Amino acid sequence: MDEVEVVVAHSERATLRVGDVFLKVDADQARIDVEVEAMPLAPVPTPKILWRKPPVLAIAAVPGTALGRLGEPSTASPAAWAAAGAAVRKLHAAELPSWTGRAGQNLDELAADLDGECEWLVTNGVLPADLVARNREVAEAAFRPWTSAFTHGDLQVSHVFVDGDEVTGIIDWSEAGQGDALYDLAILTLGHEERLGDVVAGYGTDVDLDVIRAWWSLRSLLTVRWLSEHGFDPSAPGCEVDVLRSRM
């Protein structure tokens, strides 16, 4: 019998792997609804849906290995990173889904959330005030008009799988929907700033690098508290706090 591997587990959701099958258990079935609807629409390799029996979704493993991990150097080639950029561009050029995803959050609401998190980080002594202020300033560039694209919404480097220089699968689509294309590029390269040039080369069109850097700061400021409260360490080398420090 295959062993059960706990891929991720916290109070909101858990993912288990048994052999070549992933079992996703989510307290919010709306997220699973989005995942089930988004994957068939995406013009990029996605996992095969095996079955769904709420609150569990079973999907097949995709071939290859993750492009990288946050906090660890990526061993993938520049060509593999460029291929990831090309795949993301193909997604962004696809027909829009009918719903808004995480990358399409209302900017006024997002700014209010960011201000609240910044205040919490400083008031509770989690991060130095100058570090928070500098990154809040950098984050301002993300608050601008943008044209909606089909976005993944949670395009962490560990969610993109490659075999050699080919993208073999993109997983975890529960935050997908209409949104800001540069958000996806920022999340993909978060903590891997040295790979941004390869991704943009594969993406194949001009992007505003200041906006990508803004999303790095914004995303990191917003997630420090959540990560800490859910058993993750945003202060680990190469992770969110280091991303924030790199803007100083």
Side-chain angles (χ1 to χ4, degrees):
M1 180 177 178
D2 291 311
E3 293 184 350
V4 176
E5 174 190 356
V6 179
V7 179
V8 63
H10 49 76
S11 60
E12 294 181 4
R13 67 187 81 173
T15 301
L16 310 176
R17 179 170 186 170
V18 185
D20 289 331
V21 177
F22 285 88
L23 302 175
K24 304 186 71 171
V25 185
D26 201 313
D28 183 353
Q29 285 303 290
R31 284 193 292 251
I32 297 296
D33 291 342
V34 168
E35 185 152 16
V36 169
E37 190 167 352
M39 286 194 291
L41 298 177
V44 295
T46 61
K48 179 181 179 181
I49 298 172
L50 300 177
W51 51 265
R52 181 185 182 186
K53 190 173 183 180
V56 182
L57 173 67
I59 60 175
V62 297
T65 57
L67 188 61
R69 302 282 179 187
L70 184 61
E72 301 176 10
S74 172
T75 59
S77 68
W81 281 86
V88 176
R89 176 63 178 168
K90 189 174 183 180
L91 174 66
H92 290 167
E95 183 176 350
L96 291 175
S98 60
W99 66 92
T100 300
R102 184 174 186 177
Q105 185 174 343
N106 177 276
L107 293 181
D108 290 337
E109 294 176 359
L110 187 63
D113 289 345
L114 179 60
D115 289 341
E117 287 303 305
C118 288
E119 181 179 0
W120 183 88
L121 291 168
V122 174
T123 300
N124 290 278
V126 177
L127 293 175
D130 61 340
L131 179 67
V132 172
R134 171 56 182 156
N135 279 275
R136 177 62 183 85
E137 179 184 4
V138 172
E140 192 65 30
F143 298 105
R144 88 282 176 223
W146 42 267
T147 301
S148 288
F150 188 163
T151 54
H152 180 280
D154 191 21
L155 199 63
Q156 300 176 44
V157 64
S158 60
H159 291 167
V160 179
F161 281 70
V162 295
D163 184 2
D165 299 334
E166 178 184 356
V167 174
T168 55
I170 299 178
I171 66 172
D172 285 0
W173 291 81
S174 61
E175 308 288 351
Q178 295 186 32
D180 180 359
L182 297 192
Y183 179 88
D184 273 352
L185 294 178
I187 301 308
L188 177 61
T189 54
L190 183 76
H192 293 274
E193 185 171 354
E194 74 285 356
R195 301 290 194 160
L196 178 58
D198 298 325
V199 170
V200 171
Y203 195 71
T205 188
D206 290 338
V207 300
D208 190 331
L209 299 182
D210 286 339
V211 173
I212 290 179
R213 296 184 183 103
W215 277 120
W216 288 340
S217 291
L218 204 162
R219 163 79 173 210
S220 298
L221 288 169
L222 285 176
T223 58
V224 166
R225 175 169 28 175
W226 187 94
L227 291 167
S228 300
E229 292 176 346
H230 288 80
F232 303 99
D233 184 7
S235 299
C239 294
E240 284 79 6
V241 174
D242 275 354
V243 170
L244 296 172
R245 288 176 179 144
S246 70
R247 305 275 68 84
M248 299 296 288

